[in-house]
Amino acid sequence: MGISYDPTKGLFHLRSPGSSYVLQVLETGLVAHVFWGGALRQPVELGRIAPQLFGEAPATPVLGEAPYPRLSLDLLPQEYPAYGRTDFREPAYQVALDDGSTVTDLRYQSHQIYPGKRPLVGLPATFVERGEDAESLDLTLADEHAGLEVVLTYTVYRELNVVTRSARFTNKGSRRLRLLRAFSGSVDFPDDRFELLQLSGAWARERHLWRRPLVPGIQAIGSTRGASSHHQNPFLALLRPETDEHHGHAYGFSLVYSGSFLAQAEVNHYGQTRVAMGIHPLNFSWLLEPGEIFQTPELILVYSDRGLNGLSQTFHDLFRRFLLRGPYRDRPRPVLLNSWEATYFNFTEERLLELAREAQALGMELFVLDDGWFGRRNDDTSSLGDWEANKAKLPRGLKGLGEAVNDLGLAFGLWVEPEMVSPDSDLYRAHPDWCLHVPGRSRSLGRNQLVLDLTREEVRRFIVDRIGAILRSAPIAYVKWDMNRYMTEVGSAGLPPERQQETAHRYILGLYQVLEELTEAFPHVLFEGCAGGGGRFDPGILYYMPQIWTSDDTDAVERLKIQYGTSIVYPLVTMGAHVSAAPNHQVGRVTPLATRGDVALFGNMGYELDVTRLDPEEKAAIQAQVVRYKRLRALIHRGDFYRLLSPFEGNETAWMVVAKDRREVLLGFYRVLAQPNPRPSRLRLVGLDPALEYELVGQGERWDGDQLMEVGLTVEPYLANTGGDFQSVVLHWRAVGPGKE
Ligand code: DGJ
């Protein structure tokens, strides 16, 4: 592992255990991208893999520079392509000079290789705690005419096939510059034999899988909503057509950012593919006064030669070790009861304590009071911003309720939505200009609310002070941080006209600052991100809040797709997964309680239903589910996740978790619709130790690891014999004795 530099050839080789990333500084100072893929012992030179680049191509302007007078940037694979100098593909960045021109040209100046990884100022990013876990490269490029310096930063991890990238712009000149686009990274591939995988959806059906072949031109996904969105996740992958879950090459791109983004793959006329990702350029520009700096978010690149599942496992390991922070990164996550689907806005302290009492009897560990506890909030039309407990509902305030919950033996958690304001609120009446808005335009509402202007220091102070005061006022061990509308009329009363297009990004920087302050001030609090369910399920949020409410859709069948899709990038420990009532509140479906439990088990399990209205049989079943989850959560949250059968491809879903030492295995199998005379389902497990013998816990049956993987398992005998739709089974094996030869 590490970064090496060969000055005679200008070659940088970024090596991880199973991948190489090679770039080359040409004699002219242009920085070419040479290779990204499987590990090379020696870096290869650009001229070796693409000699045709140095000859002239038809109808293609050339730079005309010695020693390659016929070189055109339109064909050259580049590390950070510019606009306007013979490359007609989309650039990674674009800068306007004060003379109105937008042509720039970056050339190599210097570089520095150093152990570890430096934080990105004001932005979330992957990190290392020990210098030996990663090595980094800062590559300094400059356009002297423009007075522009760009530092490209790369990090490789010692044990993972990961390269992270970001770019830092500095105005080194004496004239204003304006950034019109500043992607976090751009990678050129020499061919286009790829399929594009994306995670797309909508509210209540987030992160469904879509896969399509690349074609000439641009194929893009993105969000212009001011949040990473329910609709598109800041992720894409390129897969070879033959790549499947467990075999083949896969290249993943994930942006550590929670705002509007663009991710695109552009295929040109020679079948070269350029993937670029970063802040969405629509309605973005950033003024750089002399001396000012702009830092892009981080882009994570993951390479896998073990299919899509290998790609996911690398993301999972990276996020669990080097993105999540705080004591809850490694601590067991509590089983919670959330009040939302149990009571919605309609509750009293007495009613909440009834729920909490029952939750405790069922073995749960945390009671979470959701929306409706503050101001005059009896529906979603008012009070956001008025963060004072509603005395009619909670006569003893949050403190009284929290203590009473604690007395029952449960931790106490609270819902907040600090980024928002209701027009019907004391806060809005006092500060009507504290929301995003544009002078002379009416203010669009989303869920009856407006977005507070987090670009403004006084607004950020208000949030940190108010939420801080609440957290100090009561024994609050958990916070669900919600955000329920996208941005419109994106403008700030706190910014001058020439900086209005900085508003959306400054908002996200403001959000990160608020989250940094609060998570640092309250390290004992477990924060769970939420945005109308999974509207901001991204690595940026995970840096501050180690779990996220995956979706407002709690239906077990819908959750198969949502959790399966989410697992492409995000580890199970990050996914809030609740067992809710039947009929389900989002889709009206009636599923067995066992199936709801079996789906939620593979996540961060909790409950969200009126537990006071369960019959004794249901109570016993939930009690058993909670016991099982507590026994298994370390395995589920720390093990390797494997997807076996996709809910997007058929009636059955299967997935499994294998402990890192391969001595424990957990399988979940789900059949959505019952079939007459069904054909038996055989599953070949993966990731086991072939030489170990595994015992099915509770059943005594023993299997060799190689049998489970090569011969496979017929699922039918293990399915509950009740028939009907929505069947599931969870099987748990433990290795017995030492491994055999
Ligand atoms: C949206 C969230 O996703 C729900 O879980 C719930 O907290 C509601 N907001 C409350 O308004």
Side-chain angles (χ1 to χ4, degrees), residues 340 370-371 377 415 447 480 482 484 530 532-533 549 552:
W340 181 241
D370 209 281
D371 198 353
R377 182 92 166 162
W415 176 97
R447 207 193 186 204
K480 178 177 173 187
D482 204 352
N484 279 294
C530 177
W549 181 224
D552 274 350

Side-chain angles (χ1 to χ4, degrees), residues 352-379:
L352 296 174
L353 288 175
E354 271 171 31
L355 288 168
R357 201 166 294 119
E358 197 53 55
Q360 195 279 334
L362 294 171
M364 298 174 203
E365 298 158 310
L366 167 69
F367 175 74
V368 178
L369 171 55
D370 209 281
D371 198 353
W373 59 266
F374 52 93
R376 290 174 292 102
R377 182 92 166 162
N378 295 316
D379 53 33

Side-chain angles (χ1 to χ4, degrees), residues 1-225:
M1 183 286 297
I3 300 176
S4 59
Y5 174 56
D6 176 348
T8 56
K9 297 175 179 151
L11 272 176
F12 290 91
H13 188 188
L14 284 58
R15 279 219 43 184
S16 61
S19 73
S20 280
Y21 187 107
V22 181
L23 49 111
Q24 185 168 17
V25 180
L26 306 181
E27 290 91 328
T28 52
L30 290 166
V31 185
H33 175 76
V34 183
F35 176 75
W36 178 35
L40 306 173
R41 276 173 300 136
Q42 300 292 333
V44 62
E45 281 176 72
L46 182 68
R48 190 89 173 264
I49 60 163
Q52 80 285 1
L53 288 178
F54 302 100
E56 193 164 338
T60 306
V62 297
L63 278 179
E65 284 178 7
Y68 319 114
R70 294 182 179 159
L71 180 72
S72 171
L73 297 181
D74 206 26
L75 305 179
L76 182 72
Q78 294 159 73
E79 279 303 314
Y80 205 62
Y83 167 75
R85 299 270 288 151
T86 74
D87 190 347
F88 298 97
R89 296 168 289 180
E90 293 251 326
Y93 75 99
Q94 193 180 14
V95 176
L97 280 58
D98 75 343
D99 62 5
S101 67
T102 53
V103 175
T104 53
D105 190 345
L106 291 172
R107 304 287 168 126
Y108 170 86
Q109 297 294 305
S110 63
H111 72 271
Q112 191 196 4
I113 296 171
Y114 50 92
K117 185 172 194 291
R118 294 178 186 145
L120 297 189
V121 179
L123 283 163
T126 57
F127 58 85
V128 290
E129 283 152 321
R130 306 175 315 163
E132 65 263 35
D133 283 336
E135 194 162 22
S136 301
L137 162 69
D138 281 352
L139 198 63
T140 302
L141 316 177
D143 177 335
E144 275 165 16
H145 172 72
L148 174 67
E149 177 190 272
V150 177
V151 178
L152 301 180
T153 298
Y154 301 78
T155 297
V156 275
Y157 279 83
R158 186 161 59 103
E159 290 170 7
L160 299 169
N161 296 329
V162 171
V163 178
T164 61
R165 290 190 56 173
S166 63
R168 191 175 72 237
F169 292 76
T170 306
N171 183 345
K172 292 271 184 183
S174 53
R175 293 167 301 167
R176 276 183 163 189
L177 298 174
R178 184 182 287 279
L179 279 177
L180 303 175
R181 161 189 304 226
F183 284 158
S184 299
S186 171
V187 178
D188 284 340
F189 293 85
D191 71 286
D192 61 350
R193 208 177 59 79
F194 287 114
E195 293 179 352
L196 174 69
L197 182 84
Q198 65 195 63
L199 301 175
S200 305
W203 174 80
R205 47 184 171 82
E206 296 91 337
R207 291 171 298 285
H208 285 202
L209 244 62
W210 294 86
R211 185 171 169 165
R212 52 177 159 148
L214 290 186
V215 295
I218 294 173
Q219 29 259 285
I221 56 158
S223 164
T224 55
R225 295 166 191 266

